Amino acid sequence: DQQVKQNSPSLSVQEGRISILNCDYTNSMFDYFLWYKKYPAEGPTFLISISSIKDKNEDGRFTVFLNKSAKHLSLHIVPSQPGDSAVYFCAAWMEYGNKLVFGAGTILRVKS
Amino acid sequence: NAGVMQNPRHLVRRRGQEARLRCSPMKGHSHVYWYRQLPEEGLKFMVYLQKENIIDESGMPKERFSAEFPKEGPSILRIQQVVRGDSAAYFCASSDREGSGNTIYFGEGSWLTVV
């Protein structure tokens, strides 16, 4: 049972434009969310996080939005750069949980 | 390098052999997590350990897999009698505390190939 879902396997965006990566979750006990970026043959790298008590968190070109009522979050990258091309994973902690639950990932390709 | 260190980066084993993957957490971190990524799939939780204790092993296969995090030395993920289906990337992560609100930091991974 996939509790964290990234329904778009891939996304292609022109350099300089906005990239929007989406993530849905099913368990209302999730209370902290993170995004990781992963290049081939490397480990995931932490990007940005958001607590369930907030609806937005911004760090440079990266902004994460959380809609608790819809159980939906999104990662916005503006402006997108070719170096952003990677797999992006959404992940969630359950309140009192011991593990970070990951989505299946979305491949982002930024074309120059 | 103060990051999470994993070795070996690549490991080839014949069916039936044992695989041992090692993970040294970031300095100051005492919480270790192991994840597995099968080809074309996402990251699946395997086990969460603190020093000398297995806290959550709900993602570990019931047989052939074991993990430890001794008082001294790295965490070890051990796979006995490997089969082709064990071929995957195994990622270790660490953190300085437990539970929600926590950021875990990953190593570069160990790629196991079973031939």
Side-chain angles (χ1 to χ4, degrees):
Chain A
D1 177 31
Q2 256 195 308
Q3 298 187 76
V4 178
K5 300 177 186 180
Q6 294 177 256
N7 291 319
S8 298
S10 64
L11 174 68
S12 189
V13 169
Q14 200 66 34
E15 181 179 7
R17 296 289 189 96
I18 184 171
S19 296
I20 301 177
L21 297 118
N22 293 304
C23 178
D24 297 291
Y25 60 97
T26 57
N27 195 323
S28 57
M29 295 300 290
F30 287 134
D31 69 346
Y32 193 74
F33 304 89
L34 302 90
W35 284 92
Y36 286 82
K37 177 168 85 170
K38 185 182 179 304
Y39 293 119
E42 294 185 12
T45 304
F46 169 69
L47 270 178
I48 192 169
S49 60
I50 188 166
S51 166
S52 60
I53 62 173
K54 295 187 174 182
D55 54 19
K56 177 182 175 182
N57 188 25
E58 194 171 349
D59 184 1
R61 296 186 298 115
F62 302 92
T63 303
V64 55
F65 295 92
L66 175 62
N67 183 332
K68 269 186 72 174
S69 60
K71 295 191 179 69
H72 177 83
L73 62 156
S74 60
L75 174 68
H76 293 211
I77 306 173
V78 179
S80 301
Q81 300 172 353
D84 295 330
S85 298
V87 180
Y88 288 79
F89 289 100
C90 170
W93 278 109
M94 199 169 298
E95 190 180 10
Y96 308 121
N98 286 323
K99 59 192 174 197
L100 198 53
V101 180
F102 281 81
T106 296
I107 301 170
L108 173 65
R109 296 186 186 90
V110 180
K111 298 176 289 187
S112 55
Chain B
N1 188 342
V4 178
M5 302 299 291
Q6 289 189 248
N7 68 83
R9 289 295 313 278
H10 299 276
L11 182 63
V12 179
R13 284 288 178 265
R14 296 185 189 279
R15 280 177 294 171
Q17 290 185 318
E18 178 179 288
R20 284 195 183 212
L21 309 176
R22 289 175 291 277
C23 169
S24 295
M26 281 178 73
K27 189 174 181 181
H29 287 191
S30 59
H31 303 262
V32 166
Y33 310 78
W34 285 94
Y35 283 78
R36 176 165 68 171
Q37 185 178 25
L38 294 167
E40 310 300 324
E41 294 189 13
L43 293 154
K44 301 293 186 187
F45 169 80
M46 299 182 76
V47 61
Y48 162 50
L49 310 102
Q50 295 177 22
K51 283 284 186 181
E52 299 186 279
N53 286 302
I54 298 174
I55 308 300
D56 184 340
E57 55 182 348
S58 58
M60 289 277 270
K62 298 296 180 202
E63 297 176 350
R64 303 186 297 108
F65 285 71
S66 62
E68 62 177 11
F69 188 16
K71 188 176 179 182
E72 301 291 337
S75 175
I76 307 283
L77 179 67
R78 183 180 176 205
I79 312 171
Q80 295 178 289
Q81 299 174 324
V82 296
V83 300
R84 288 236 171 94
D86 296 332
S87 296
Y90 292 83
F91 293 99
C92 171
S94 73
S95 66
D96 61 356
R97 53 197 159 94
E98 63 183 4
S100 184
N102 194 1
T103 299
I104 68 174
Y105 297 92
F106 283 86
E108 294 290 284
S110 290
W111 268 258
L112 172 65
T113 302
V114 179
V115 297

